[in-house]
Amino acid sequence: MDLHVDLTERRDLAGQVYRGLRARVLDGRLRDGEQVPPSRELARRLGISRNTVSVAYEWLMAEGLLVSRGRAGSFIQNAPRERGARARASQGVELRPRAVWRGLPAPPVPVPETPYDFRVGYPDASLFPFDAWRRLMARQWRASAAGPAYADPAGHPELREAVARHVGVSRGVTADASDVLITHGAQQALDLVGRVLLEPGDCVAMEEPGYPPARALFQSLGASVVPVPVDAEGLDVSRLPDDTRAVYVTPSHQFPLGIVMSPARRKALLDWARRRDAVVIEDDYDSEFRFGGRPLETLHGLDRSGRVLYVGSFSKVLLPSLRLGFLVAPPSLRRELRLAKQVTDWHSQLPAQGALARFIDTGALARHLRKTRREYEQRHTRLAEGLARHFADTLELLPSVAGLHLCATFTRGGARLEKELTARAHAAGVGVESLSRYFMGAPTRHGWVLGYGRVTVERIDEGLRRLRARLHEGR
């Protein structure tokens, strides 16, 4: 049997054997009823362990492509009757997605960490309390905790109560468990809001520059997304279109500029929404990390007409891979949001929800926040000081006292310098992000958005030194 398996470039040997056999079944090289070699024999031919081959055979059996007949051996079943059947099937009518999907950017390809990684949106995974989390998850994986049936789409009741208490204490959001819906991160919260409130063609206003994933989501739902400029006080309310149905904002730490929306602008936005019968979606994505000054009250806390939907996430506080977020919504939308969550994915993973509830209730989250806040504040300070020292003649640092990133704009050179210097930085092992990529329309500012979740205090100075060296290349 001629089975080529690359054993030098891949680690998953069982997966390689499985994929190799499966491909031969589907393209007709192994036919229905044909016997495959015994696991011991195939293992000898390939120079791998018998257990590895046995695992691959078990996967094929689970898929229904292989059947064991005891001492007689293992045989192919359910294979295509004619060679090339699969190839011919792919030559049929081309299925076409809705037109809106052709205009959206492709999902980003995961990029390996660079030695000096200033990319945005990543917390430091090394700060996560893995041992404590592992113990909490072990408790939740008991049958009594995980549960034998589907659960409430709104989420684990204990976690909803814990989230309501947490945002009440940390952000002054007045809510109880019935107001909270647990989601797969902030992105799903936005999706549920869009499904429940937006009709195709509705106008959604977003900050410019702003958060691209939210923009793409609303566009995918058929909304007309309109960029609205941001100035030193936040979103320019006077520029909102009259027919706006929903306004998406990040008032506590504008993404990506880092500006805090002023009290006057917050009041103006809420008054505008009330007059226009519009909805405000407040994304409070990283407000737990505040390093100076008293935090302003949330839009949700100021709202007296029930028009603000408050979105939060544990992706920056804990880990993005946990995919846990929440939505605080008014009573008038509870039923429809629960229904939208059910028809989307029914509910988020219960064991992780239960573990997070305990993590909050035992005070572990508060301790973790104190620890990470101290660490990120050191990085924030070191990065701000380094930018002032190395780039005072080139970059203007925008004021920011919170979050996991800073934004700096070029005082000269504009688009050309941003493009050239960003490319040189990546070539030198320094990961930075261009400010222009966050604009929906033609960029009016150019610079960098610099995260510090993936770069330690000790490496910030060297990373900036390398950036400075790239600035002088070619002069």
Side-chain angles (χ1 to χ4, degrees), residues 419-451:
K419 181 178 179 179
E420 292 180 2
L421 192 51
T422 300
R424 294 178 199 163
H426 283 280
V430 184
V432 294
E433 293 187 8
S434 301
L435 174 59
S436 60
R437 69 184 294 266
Y438 294 101
F439 282 83
M440 182 177 178
T444 56
R445 309 188 197 196
H446 294 87
W448 284 326
V449 187
L450 299 158

Side-chain angles (χ1 to χ4, degrees), residues 265-284:
R265 198 63 64 79
R266 292 173 186 237
K267 182 179 183 300
L269 176 58
L270 293 174
D271 289 345
W272 185 93
R274 177 179 50 78
R275 293 195 308 271
R276 298 292 180 180
D277 192 25
V279 173
V280 176
I281 305 168
E282 179 179 15
D283 189 347
D284 207 12

Side-chain angles (χ1 to χ4, degrees), residues 359-376:
F359 193 74
I360 296 173
D361 288 341
T362 59
L365 177 61
R367 292 191 294 273
H368 176 66
L369 282 173
R370 285 194 295 271
K371 172 186 174 182
T372 52
R373 192 180 292 119
R374 287 194 299 269
E375 173 64 28
Y376 291 139

Side-chain angles (χ1 to χ4, degrees), residues 192-199 202 245-246 279 281 309 333 337:
L192 297 178
V193 171
R195 288 171 180 265
V196 168
L197 289 176
L198 299 178
E199 298 283 357
D202 277 352
R245 173 64 177 133
V279 173
I281 305 168
L309 291 93
L333 296 178
L337 287 168

Side-chain angles (χ1 to χ4, degrees), residues 248-276:
Y248 171 85
V249 287
T250 53
S252 298
H253 187 232
Q254 199 278 330
F255 189 89
L257 299 180
I259 295 165
V260 177
M261 183 180 283
S262 70
R265 198 63 64 79
R266 292 173 186 237
K267 182 179 183 300
L269 176 58
L270 293 174
D271 289 345
W272 185 93
R274 177 179 50 78
R275 293 195 308 271
R276 298 292 180 180

Side-chain angles (χ1 to χ4, degrees), residues 303-319:
D303 180 33
R304 297 294 177 266
S305 59
R307 298 186 177 278
V308 177
L309 291 93
Y310 182 85
V311 175
S313 171
F314 292 97
S315 293
K316 306 296 185 296
V317 173
L318 298 176
L319 291 175

